[in-house]
Amino acid sequence: MHNRRNFLKLSAGAAIGGMAAALPSTSSANECKAIKWDESHDVIVVGSGFAGLSAALNTRRQGIASVLVLEKMQVIGGNSAINGGWLAIPKNPVQLAQGIEDDSPEELVKDQIISGRGMQNEAALRQIANRALDAYELCIGTGVKFRDGFNIQVGGHNKARAIRTQHGTGGDITTKLYEAGVREGVEYRLQHYIEDFIMDGQTIVGLKVRKNYRFPDIKTGSTVYIKANKAVILANGGFARNMKLREMVDPSLDPTLDCTNALGATGEVTLTAMAHGALPVHMNLIQTGHWGSPDEGGFGWSNALLSIGWHQGAAISVLNGKRFMDERADRKTCSEAIMKNRYPDNSPAYPVVLFNYEKYKDDDRVVRALRDKMAWKLDSLDEIASKFNIPAAELKRSISEYNGHVNARKDPLFKRKMDTAEVLTGPFVVSRIWPKVHYCMGGLKTDLAARVIDGRSMSPIKKLYAIGEVTGGVHGEARLSSTSCLECLAMGIVVSETIKSDAQA
């Protein structure tokens, strides 16, 4: 017979496709006192993406002697290493050099409140925005390079405040944070899977860990017990790759959608925390990235290519040759508009995005997209109509109308901001679009200091903290582009301060 806690663990295990049918049973308070610990550390960080790497480095800088990072996969970085390398920073140096002096953390929060649609945590967003320059300085101080002179306005933002890493990937940040951690005494271990939390009442005291684990086989490796003297920080990311859990929490989410996440984004640590009483919030709020391409798997290059397309080009429905949305709206708005494009049998009618080729032919975003055949160079609107079976006359009429809106710098159809839009003359770069599951707004409830809340007592679980995508309730219904990296880096700073303070209390 299993108690309620074990039942939750079994349910959690069953939700993780491709893994074991159940996770190991939890440890009681009495059992934890009898555990023979294999080793002991002051702080254990679970996960090695932006959040985990920032937390580990900053905790070490707070004077914590022993900081250990555990990563279940075979490489450092998780989803963060493969993301687009975007970072929203109000008052960043490039923004100021561009003459944009009316931005502020509060302006960013205003945009996020609109995107959150009443479900966001304003205090949390404000705290993160107020630490944006600290997050930027953390990157600069560890050697991260950003593109010279690059600062643009991305979807849902009212100001140009998004900078991008030199190579257009989050790996530019994760690598430097990891290297800084190594230099400063942080210890990192790969292929360490969290089997269970070891609890003493409402206090976490350590972790049951399977070392030498080989994803996704939970039977691989061997079990060790690692004691956490001061804190366990959960920075394990979201669960977008856990198909069964996705279906359970949001049955409306199209199960055929591809996913941008790394394969390890299955959320078992989140479920384990829930089994020990951690309060989940907004689990059904799962965001799609409207910049996905059906012509490549996973995250791919489409995100980068469409940072041109959304600003300088237009999105067209293949069904009728017309524009159908504000190309610069937030992710939720655009994704919903894109997925309405379907044939009578309900199969996707992939819209296309087109922009001028000549100006961008040497841009690495275009070169890579054409090379990998997820975009095409087409010389005329007739060629586009023929290739994608679009009504040619209506396509030409739509582009003529769009060009008129560009010249007038006003879009009466969808109220798009037209300051970056260009008259479309051809030849064109053309790609197909379809959303991909991208980000989980839901996760564990924390207080502003990153302490995980116990749903039974509504008070913090002692010594247990969570930051980044594993947390829930921060962004509300939709997260704005370029704010996840900011959140993770900033909350890594915040949690380090909290742990130092709690340890001294």
Side-chain angles (χ1 to χ4, degrees):
M1 180 177 293
H2 298 282
N3 60 25
R4 177 178 177 274
R5 188 174 287 176
N6 284 338
F7 171 77
L8 285 170
K9 290 300 293 291
L10 288 168
S11 299
I16 301 173
M19 292 187 169
L23 296 173
S25 61
T26 61
S27 301
S28 69
N30 288 334
E31 290 172 339
C32 81
K33 293 176 182 177
I35 286 175
K36 180 180 178 182
W37 299 102
D38 293 284
E39 56 186 292
S40 175
H41 296 269
D42 288 332
V43 174
I44 303 174
V45 181
V46 179
S48 68
F50 295 140
L53 294 170
S54 175
L57 181 58
N58 284 294
T59 299
R60 188 74 182 88
R61 289 177 173 180
Q62 289 290 348
I64 304 297
S66 174
V67 180
L68 173 66
V69 176
L70 301 179
E71 167 59 54
K72 77 175 183 183
M73 302 303 280
Q74 292 148 316
V75 294
I76 291 288
N79 283 332
S80 300
I82 62 172
N83 96 334
W86 295 91
L87 186 55
I89 305 290
K91 300 289 187 184
N92 74 72
V94 180
Q95 183 189 58
L96 295 175
Q98 291 173 341
I100 303 171
E101 298 181 350
D102 59 347
D103 198 13
S104 67
E106 194 60 33
E107 284 294 309
L108 171 57
V109 173
K110 287 179 182 178
D111 292 341
Q112 292 176 300
I113 289 172
I114 295 170
S115 178
R117 294 164 170 80
M119 297 290 284
Q120 71 286 337
N121 184 330
E122 291 183 31
L125 292 173
R126 191 164 287 110
Q127 173 177 245
I128 293 165
N130 286 335
R131 303 304 291 261
L133 286 175
D134 293 338
Y136 174 76
E137 291 300 333
L138 173 66
C139 292
I140 297 300
T142 55
V144 177
K145 301 293 185 184
F146 293 97
R147 297 186 175 189
D148 290 340
F150 186 94
N151 176 77
I152 69 170
Q153 181 179 345
V154 291
H157 293 258
N158 76 83
K159 297 281 192 300
R161 60 169 70 99
I163 58 177
R164 198 170 191 207
T165 58
Q166 187 176 40
H167 298 103
T169 173
D172 283 353
I173 298 175
T174 57
T175 299
K176 294 302 181 183
L177 292 179
Y178 166 73
E179 291 172 349
V182 170
R183 289 193 301 269
E184 298 183 32
V186 176
E187 184 176 354
Y188 302 88
R189 295 186 194 164
L190 302 174
Q191 294 180 266
H192 278 60
Y193 172 86
I194 308 305
E195 291 190 89
D196 199 6
F197 298 175
I198 310 301
M199 307 293 297
D200 187 354
Q202 251 191 327
T203 303
I204 189 166
V205 294
L207 298 171
K208 183 181 180 183
V209 181
R210 186 164 288 267
K211 68 176 183 178
N212 298 323
Y213 160 77
R214 295 190 298 280
F215 177 85
D217 186 357
I218 200 172
K219 296 179 181 179
T220 55
S222 58
T223 296
V224 294
Y225 292 88
I226 307 177
K227 191 172 187 295
N229 299 318
K230 299 182 185 297
V232 172
I233 305 173
L234 305 183
N236 52 284
F239 56 88
R241 281 286 182 182
N242 188 329
M243 298 299 292
K244 289 187 178 180
L245 182 56
R246 272 170 45 181
E247 183 180 6
M248 287 179 184
V249 298
D250 185 4
S252 71
L253 187 63
D254 186 343
T256 67
L257 291 180
D258 193 4
C259 181
T260 65
N261 286 198
L263 294 178
T266 45
E268 64 274 357
V269 174
T270 304
L271 294 167
T272 300
M274 290 163 55
H276 284 285
L279 178 65
V281 292
H282 295 182
M283 293 291 282
N284 64 317
L285 299 183
I286 300 173
Q287 185 177 70
T288 54
H290 64 298
W291 30 256
S293 166
D295 297 301
E296 61 179 357
F299 200 95
W301 296 123
S302 186
N303 168 270
L305 185 72
L306 289 175
S307 62
I308 304 174
W310 296 142
H311 290 266
Q312 281 78 34
I316 299 292
S317 171
V318 299
L319 297 172
N320 55 25
K322 298 179 180 180
R323 285 179 65 222
F324 57 92
M325 69 176 188
D326 171 5
E327 292 89 345
R328 293 177 63 181
D330 65 63
R331 291 170 172 177
K332 182 177 175 64
T333 299
C334 290
S335 287
E336 290 175 349
I338 292 168
M339 287 193 288
K340 289 179 180 178
N341 287 269
R342 295 182 181 273
Y343 294 111
D345 65 357
N346 205 41
S347 62
Y350 302 126
V352 298
V353 175
L354 61 149
F355 59 89
N356 292 322
Y357 169 76
E358 287 297 335
K359 184 176 178 180
Y360 303 97
K361 62 183 178 181
D362 296 322
D363 190 298
D364 62 343
R365 293 168 288 182
V366 171
V367 172
R368 293 181 306 195
L370 296 178
R371 178 199 68 193
D372 294 346
K373 294 182 172 55
M374 50 77 54
W376 296 266
K377 174 184 175 292
L378 299 172
D379 291 329
S380 67
L381 294 177
D382 282 321
E383 284 190 33
I384 295 174
S386 176
K387 182 173 181 63
F388 298 104
N389 196 28
I390 303 172
E394 189 59 41
L395 173 62
K396 292 177 181 178
R397 191 200 68 78
S398 294
I399 297 303
S400 176
E401 179 182 59
Y402 171 82
N403 286 340
H405 297 160
V406 174
N407 288 325
R409 283 294 186 254
K410 185 176 182 180
D411 177 16
L413 297 180
F414 304 103
K415 311 303 181 187
R416 167 180 161 181
K417 189 175 181 180
M418 301 295 282
D419 58 320
T420 59
E422 297 176 353
V423 172
L424 299 175
T425 59
F428 306 98
V429 177
V430 188
S431 64
R432 303 196 299 174
I433 54 172
W434 199 252
K436 295 181 180 182
V437 176
H438 180 59
Y439 190 89
C440 299
M441 263 76 67
L444 306 178
K445 177 64 177 177
T446 65
D447 65 13
L448 289 179
R451 304 179 187 95
V452 176
I453 301 301
D454 191 318
R456 299 161 297 185
S457 65
M458 294 299 169
S459 61
I461 299 174
K462 293 180 181 178
K463 299 184 180 180
L464 183 62
Y465 307 83
I467 57 173
E469 192 178 355
V470 67
T471 63
V474 176
H475 298 278
E477 283 201 32
R479 177 181 67 77
L480 288 184
S481 172
S482 71
T483 61
S484 176
C485 180
L486 169 60
E487 176 190 359
C488 291
L489 296 175
M491 288 307 298
I493 299 170
V494 169
V495 75
S496 72
E497 297 168 350
T498 303
I499 290 170
K500 181 179 180 179
S501 176
D502 287 353
Q504 293 174 342

